[in-house]
């Protein structure tokens, strides 16, 4: 079997389709701040990270949760990996790049995204997109926190070393104008 | 012991890669790592056995060794190959590197199966061989394609 179809096309499939549609709409309408090559790295990093976590703790012997109807890898799992999580990751980096949060504002920004992701996961659990088999919502925030810190690290690497990153457009509060 | 050997092999490959890396730049390397790691999983999950490799191994030590194999060892071997391939001056050398790494990847599969990192996969070896050949080709295409994209963007800056 290549990719399994859903067992029954019902509410959870529609939830995934709605998420994909909304997020794609947001992504397309966003003004482009980062070069395509940097967006590509962020995109594949998010896919990679989510899949590494899922393919490690959501399969036997640990097997803490399942996506969608089946225990196997199905089409709607692939949509979550391909679109939903990478766009969330991109949005996080986009806003970080736009506002250049530092200090307490950065801490609040990361905590805000962690809280948002946990609530988003809860919505997915309620709508049976995600089915726990021993996992608890309480376990997730540390993973999200670590994910956003890793994304921040990747963003800083891109800002510092990526040759196609344009210089920041706006001066930071307290920055001196170049002479 | 298997986990220790897998960790040691990962560290050794990472050290060798960092030492010899001349042709692969930072973001090309990261891009390659993320994509190849997903690709090696998808060859397994999409084409045939749907995570049978993972699902049948209930031993946690073997399981973590398997995680290291697919997420670090295989991508590192492929990254080393891309580095050597891009460095090689002649097509003969490039072809030899291709054959050598293709063989090494299959040996890794075989050793992994002998050690019990995955069990009784119904996956025919001939398919593995074809997949690894495709993966190596894709890896080179990925690095070169990414490099061209960056160059185009740098020129447009």
């Amino acid at each position: 079997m290549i990719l399994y179809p859903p067992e029954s096309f019902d509410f959870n499939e529609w939830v995934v389709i709605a998420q994909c549609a909304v997020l794609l709409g947001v992504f397309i309408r966003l003004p482009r701040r980062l070069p395509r090559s940097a967006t590509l790295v962020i995109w594949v990093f998010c896919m990679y990270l989510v899949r590494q976590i899922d393919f490690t703790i959501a399969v036997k012997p640990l097997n803490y949760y399942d996506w969608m109807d089946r225990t196997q890898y199905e089409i709607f799992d692939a949509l979550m990996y391909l679109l939903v999580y990478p766009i969330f990751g991109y949005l996080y980096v986009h806003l970080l790049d736009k506002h250049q949060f530092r200090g307490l504002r950065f801490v609040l920004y990361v905590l805000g995204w962690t809280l948002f992701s946990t609530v988003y996961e809860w919505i997915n659990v309620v709508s049976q997109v995600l089915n726990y088999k021993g996992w608890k919502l309480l376990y997730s925030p540390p993973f999200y926190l670590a994910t956003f810190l890793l994304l921040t690290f990747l963003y800083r690497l891109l800002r510092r070393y990526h040759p196609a990153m344009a210089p920041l457009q706006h001066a930071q509060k307290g920055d001196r104008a170049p002479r | 012991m298997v986990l220790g050997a897998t960790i040691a092999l990962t560290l050794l490959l990472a050290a060798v890669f960092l030492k010899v890396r001349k042709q692969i730049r930072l973001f090309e390397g990261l891009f390659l790592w993320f994509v190849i790691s997903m690709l090696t999983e998808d060859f397994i999950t999409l084409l045939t056995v749907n995570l049978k490799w993972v699902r049948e191994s209930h031993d946690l030590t073997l399981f973590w060794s398997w995680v290291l194999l697919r997420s670090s060892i295989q991508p590192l071997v492929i990254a080393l190959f891309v580095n050597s391939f891009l460095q090689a001056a002649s097509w003969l050398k490039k072809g030899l590197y291709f054959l050598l790494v293709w063989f090494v990847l299959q040996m890794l599969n075989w050793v992994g199966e002998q050690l019990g990192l995955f069990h009784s996969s119904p996956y025919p070896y001939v398919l593995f061989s074809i997949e690894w050949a495709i993966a190596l080709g894709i890896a080179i295409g990925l690095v070169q394609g990414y490099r061209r994209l960056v160059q185009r963007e740098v020129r447009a800056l």
Side-chain angles (χ1 to χ4, degrees):
Chain A
M1 196 59 176
I2 291 183
L3 262 180
Y4 288 93
E7 274 179 355
S8 58
F9 198 95
D10 44 31
F11 185 66
N12 54 359
E13 279 77 22
W14 283 112
V15 171
V16 173
I17 290 172
Q19 287 179 21
C20 290
V22 170
L23 285 168
L24 260 181
V26 170
F27 177 73
I28 290 165
R29 289 184 71 86
L30 270 183
R32 191 144 64 88
R33 289 191 65 84
L34 306 171
R36 281 203 179 92
S37 51
T39 305
L40 209 58
V41 170
I42 294 163
W43 198 285
V44 293
F45 171 72
C46 292
M47 281 177 69
Y48 167 80
L49 199 65
V50 175
R51 289 166 47 114
Q52 285 302 316
I53 293 170
D54 282 359
F55 285 17
T56 304
I57 62 174
V59 294
K60 284 177 185 171
L62 302 172
N63 206 13
Y64 288 135
Y65 54 88
D66 276 334
W67 286 101
M68 308 304 290
D69 305 338
R70 295 173 186 269
T71 52
Q72 289 100 336
Y73 192 27
E74 64 169 273
I75 295 166
F76 284 85
D77 299 10
L79 275 180
M80 296 293 285
Y81 295 138
L82 270 172
L83 293 175
V84 175
Y85 283 102
I87 295 179
F88 274 130
Y90 178 79
L91 283 175
Y92 172 83
V93 173
H94 177 93
L95 293 173
L96 189 62
D97 187 60
K98 187 174 177 186
H99 297 290
Q100 293 296 311
F101 297 116
R102 292 270 187 267
L104 183 64
R105 290 181 71 207
F106 172 72
V107 174
L108 289 175
Y109 181 67
V110 175
L111 290 178
W113 269 92
T114 304
L115 181 68
F116 166 76
S117 305
T118 311
V119 173
Y120 171 74
E121 182 177 318
W122 175 76
I123 293 169
N124 277 334
V125 172
V126 171
S127 53
Q128 290 185 324
V129 170
L130 195 58
N131 298 298
Y132 287 164
K133 296 193 300 192
W135 190 259
K136 288 191 170 73
L137 191 64
L138 208 63
Y139 302 158
S140 297
F143 280 81
Y144 290 124
L145 186 63
T147 301
F148 291 121
L149 291 176
L150 276 173
L151 260 175
T152 307
F153 176 69
L154 180 66
Y155 164 70
R156 300 238 186 276
L157 269 185
L158 285 164
R159 261 275 155 240
R160 190 155 184 186
Y161 297 112
H162 197 284
M165 287 288 265
L168 285 170
Q169 291 298 308
H170 59 89
Q172 298 304 299
K173 199 176 175 184
D175 277 357
R176 289 185 179 184
R179 296 182 184 194
Chain B
M1 191 208 155
V2 175
L3 183 59
T6 323
I7 293 171
L9 182 60
T10 308
L11 293 175
L12 180 72
L13 282 169
V16 171
F17 177 70
L18 290 174
K19 184 88 183 153
V20 303
R21 180 182 71 92
K22 285 197 177 80
Q23 297 295 321
I24 302 178
R25 289 159 203 149
L26 175 64
F27 293 105
E28 291 165 1
L30 286 176
F31 182 64
L32 182 71
W33 179 21
F34 300 148
V35 179
I36 281 295
S37 179
M38 290 190 284
L39 210 67
T40 52
E41 288 161 2
D42 277 344
F43 276 149
I44 304 153
T45 53
L46 293 184
L47 293 181
T48 47
V49 289
N50 211 302
L51 286 183
K52 204 170 181 66
W53 278 15
V54 192
R55 287 179 192 284
E56 291 195 353
S57 180
H58 290 263
D59 183 317
L60 265 183
T61 318
L62 294 181
F63 174 75
W64 288 113
S65 303
W66 185 85
V67 171
L68 271 178
L69 178 73
R70 73 168 151 82
S71 65
S72 303
I73 294 176
Q74 287 170 343
L76 275 168
V77 170
I78 292 178
L80 278 167
F81 158 71
V82 174
N83 186 64
S84 312
F85 186 92
L86 295 176
Q87 221 166 0
S90 68
W91 281 101
L92 179 69
K93 253 187 172 177
K94 285 179 197 284
L96 284 175
Y97 279 134
F98 190 94
L99 284 176
L100 177 72
V101 176
W102 176 74
F103 181 71
V104 167
L105 284 167
Q106 296 194 73
M107 286 306 292
L108 270 177
N109 276 353
W110 183 79
V111 172
E113 192 147 11
Q114 299 308 307
L115 291 174
L117 301 194
F118 39 90
H119 302 298
S120 63
S121 166
Y123 210 43
Y125 260 80
V126 65
L127 274 181
F128 270 137
S129 312
I130 296 168
E131 284 174 8
W132 286 124
I134 297 169
L136 292 178
I138 289 175
I140 293 181
L142 279 173
V143 170
Q144 292 193 322
Y146 189 78
R147 185 170 295 176
R148 274 194 212 111
L149 177 65
V150 173
Q151 282 168 350
R152 213 169 45 223
E153 286 174 343
V154 169
R155 277 199 299 271
L157 266 181

